[in-house]
Amino acid sequence: MRARSLYLCLVFATLVATSLHADPPKKKIAQGKLVGVLSSDGKVASYKGIPYAAPPVGNLRWAAPQPAPKFNGLFQAKDYGNHCAQANSFADMVFHDPGASEDCLTLNVWAPADAKPGAKLPVMFWIHGGGYYAGGSSEARQDGQSLARHGVIVVTINYRLGIFGFFVHPELTKESPHHASGDQGLLDQVQALQWTHDNIKAFGGDPSNITIFGESAGSFSVSSLMASPLSKNLIAKAIGESGGAIQNADTPNQTLAEREAVDGAISTSIFNTSSLAELRKIPTDKILSGLTSAMSHPHFGPEVDGYYLPKSVAQIYAASEQAHVPLIAGWNADEIRAAIIMNPKKPTVASFTESSQKDFGDATPDFLKLYTATTDAEATASAGDLISDRFIAYGTWRWLEAQTKTGQAPVYRYLFAEPAPIDKYHTVPVGAFHSDDIEYVFGTLDSRPGATFTLADRTLTDQVQQYWTNFAKTGNPNTPSTGLPNWPVYKPTDYEVLRLDGTLQPTAAAPDKLRDRYLFLDSHPLKPAM
């Protein structure tokens, strides 16, 4: 028995040594040859910091992305590239890269180490969130290794943010062959998606089977990429986590002319010039410090530029001109309930009723049937529901409804409802908060500092990964061999929602009990709460 144990130890040591000393993985792509890194067990190869476009600096600041240059020798794809320059970020966004820079248009690839060119593995293309002004692909919670172990290839990207990604200027419009400006960050996403389509075969991926997925602004981006004529034909499937770019009736996407006026006024007031040439000479840090010191804290986001978006996302879906591909979409049960929980001044029956009357007037009685407030506790709970609905849930619902109406591809809806444990950044219980799902999708629970996850959490992350990767492989999250609860199609005759939490049961899917809330908001539109 002792000899057998010694033999097994020697075998294990040999396997570890072989993995540690194995030749690093190499791939040949259009730009040249690159070398990556093997995981500690030798089963996953990663390639990080690969340029997918030319650095958008100098005269390329605010230009549409240009093709990436050829490699000068063997490209070392071992470390993340810089995250994109950003005026503000979020405390829980911890980057593992050299720092912020305008030279940031890179992507990362994780693939099974034994995947050969031509293997035709499904590809999952991730777009990070952050309100279009923050974020990056080097966060530990977005590491693609765990997902790649499910037999898929994972791509994560950086894209320009804030003023660098969404600045509109008449001189930019004039120099564009498409007579468009703004939406540079969205054009970056298209460029990265096209790069993936053109190069993923080298990693063993199938360019005809790319699933785009993202969270928050990344989910907004998914719905927009499905709408844009530049990208919709590159997409096989889509997953949206908390966000949809179909706006309320009274908050349509701004037009190019409207944004030229707004952004022009901002540049003149903050940087004392409206000249594009002069604006391009201002150092990155001066641009950012000017924005952060401005009294108005200007926000830069997508608009209808006439090129990436020939008309609003809502109009494109209404005309059934979007990508008709299988879709998973949903949101978290307590998106920004923390804004109510953490506020020392809690809603009361009187205050909630008063604010409802200001917002909805004669429709207030109908509103209060859906967001009840017969006690102060109920008022607080309903205020948390309303702020989360207005922030994310309602817009995502509108996207789901628009895609469902075409009937040309299956749609699946979920509610992520696993309450988050207390961690370094969330020191009181706030439920399933906005972005809480990311670590479950990527299998990176241990990247969340200060959190203690249970066996139920770890079971749930495996189940979520199976649903997501099943979907990437076949367009259907269900696979009989996994034993997962059945996830029914969301359709006009059967609005079923899968509840994802740590007690996932065979009866986890049930009819939508909150549909009347979104129908009410659809009939009484308000501007987004945040």
Side-chain angles (χ1 to χ4, degrees):
M1 189 70 177
R2 184 176 181 182
R4 174 177 170 80
S5 297
L6 180 61
Y7 171 74
L8 291 175
C9 288
L10 288 171
V11 169
F12 178 76
T14 301
L15 289 172
V16 171
T18 300
S19 173
L20 291 174
H21 295 92
D23 290 336
K26 296 182 178 68
K27 297 295 179 185
K28 183 177 181 180
I29 60 175
Q31 293 150 263
K33 294 181 180 179
L34 53 79
V35 57
V37 176
L38 281 175
S39 60
S40 58
D41 63 0
K43 292 185 177 180
V44 176
S46 64
Y47 308 85
K48 298 175 180 175
I50 306 170
Y52 66 81
V57 298
N59 286 335
L60 291 183
R61 177 186 277 178
W62 297 311
Q66 301 301 305
K70 298 283 187 180
F71 297 146
N72 183 17
L74 189 65
F75 184 84
Q76 298 292 326
K78 298 180 179 181
D79 299 302
Y80 290 108
N82 301 81
H83 63 276
C84 290
Q86 47 202 266
N88 297 289
S89 187
F90 296 89
D92 63 348
M93 287 183 171
V94 180
F95 304 115
H96 299 273
D97 58 47
S101 173
E102 286 188 71
D103 182 3
C104 62
L105 299 186
T106 61
L107 54 75
N108 319 292
V109 180
W110 287 264
D114 58 358
K116 300 293 190 295
K120 291 191 174 182
L121 294 178
V123 181
M124 299 186 71
F125 180 95
W126 171 257
I127 307 166
H128 71 75
Y132 291 120
Y133 64 85
S137 65
S138 69
E139 290 187 77
R141 59 179 163 179
Q142 298 169 128
D143 185 290
Q145 183 181 146
S146 180
L147 271 177
R149 293 177 183 275
H150 289 262
V152 300
I153 293 177
V154 180
V155 178
T156 68
I157 69 168
N158 291 335
Y159 56 96
R160 282 174 284 180
L161 302 165
I163 192 170
F164 300 111
F166 298 94
F167 184 62
V168 180
H169 193 285
E171 290 183 56
L172 284 171
T173 306
K174 185 176 180 180
E175 74 177 22
S176 165
H178 309 288
H179 307 290
S181 66
D183 291 346
Q184 297 94 343
L186 298 177
L187 291 172
D188 292 343
Q189 295 174 9
V190 176
Q191 181 84 355
L193 187 57
Q194 185 67 59
W195 185 100
T196 301
H197 180 273
D198 295 344
N199 290 279
I200 207 65
K201 277 185 179 180
F203 303 89
D206 182 356
S208 67
N209 189 13
I210 299 175
T211 298
I212 59 172
F213 69 134
E215 186 271 341
S216 193
S219 186
F220 277 74
S221 297
V222 169
S223 63
S224 296
L225 286 166
M226 288 173 61
S228 175
L230 305 183
S231 50
K232 68 178 185 178
N233 293 327
L234 298 172
I235 302 165
K237 307 172 188 76
I239 301 173
E241 302 169 27
S242 299
I246 297 182
Q247 303 295 319
N248 288 347
D250 61 346
T251 56
N253 297 96
Q254 288 180 300
T255 65
L256 182 63
E258 289 170 336
R259 279 292 299 276
E260 282 181 345
V262 171
D263 291 10
I266 290 172
S267 64
T268 301
S269 64
I270 296 178
F271 305 113
N272 300 314
T273 181
S274 61
S275 164
L276 181 61
E278 292 299 318
L279 289 167
R280 280 175 163 159
K281 292 178 182 177
I282 301 175
T284 307
D285 60 342
K286 296 295 185 183
I287 293 278
L288 296 177
S289 62
L291 292 173
T292 54
S293 62
M295 293 292 291
S296 60
H297 297 290
H299 176 74
F300 299 86
E303 38 83 38
V304 179
D305 66 340
Y307 176 52
Y308 175 85
L309 287 177
K311 49 190 174 184
S312 75
V313 175
Q315 289 171 328
I316 291 171
Y317 276 80
S320 194
E321 295 170 351
Q322 78 276 23
H324 298 292
V325 297
L327 171 67
I328 285 176
W331 55 88
N332 297 352
D334 308 283
E335 290 282 356
I336 54 171
R337 191 179 301 278
I340 303 299
I341 294 174
M342 303 295 288
N343 192 327
K345 188 176 181 180
K346 300 290 189 295
T348 63
V349 173
S351 66
F352 189 71
T353 302
E354 181 182 358
S355 66
S356 303
Q357 289 170 338
K358 290 179 181 178
D359 288 338
F360 302 109
D362 293 341
T364 299
D366 292 331
F367 169 81
L368 291 174
K369 290 177 183 176
L370 302 168
Y371 298 87
T372 56
T374 59
T375 66
D376 289 349
E378 266 194 349
T380 297
S382 288
D385 291 336
L386 180 62
I387 194 173
S388 294
D389 284 350
R390 291 175 60 196
F391 170 59
I392 283 292
Y394 168 67
T396 313
W397 176 84
R398 287 202 72 193
W399 176 26
L400 280 157
E401 293 289 302
Q403 187 70 358
T404 299
K405 285 179 181 177
T406 69
Q408 297 189 42
V411 174
Y412 300 88
R413 179 179 152 194
Y414 72 87
L415 178 69
F416 185 86
E418 178 66 1
I422 289 174
D423 63 37
K424 178 179 178 179
Y425 304 105
H426 305 88
T427 56
V428 299
V430 291
F433 59 82
H434 187 62
S435 81
D436 185 24
D437 52 303
I438 296 175
E439 290 93 339
Y440 290 84
V441 169
F442 279 88
T444 53
L445 296 181
D446 293 330
S447 71
R448 190 180 292 182
T452 300
F453 290 98
T454 66
L455 177 60
D457 289 306
R458 298 188 184 279
T459 300
L460 179 62
T461 190
D462 183 62
Q463 292 167 327
V464 170
Q465 286 193 303
Q466 288 184 63
Y467 279 130
W468 263 231
T469 55
N470 288 347
F471 181 77
K473 293 171 184 176
T474 68
N476 185 340
N478 301 294
T479 298
S481 61
T482 63
L484 292 171
N486 182 61
W487 190 343
V489 172
Y490 181 80
K491 52 191 176 183
T493 56
D494 197 3
Y495 296 105
E496 294 222 34
V497 182
L498 182 72
R499 181 183 178 90
L500 295 169
D501 62 26
T503 60
L504 198 60
Q505 301 292 325
T507 56
D512 179 16
K513 296 180 181 179
L514 304 178
R515 183 172 180 78
D516 287 344
R517 286 204 325 217
Y518 311 123
L519 290 171
F520 178 89
L521 295 176
D522 214 36
S523 301
H524 303 82
L526 287 171
K527 292 183 178 181
M530 293 184 66

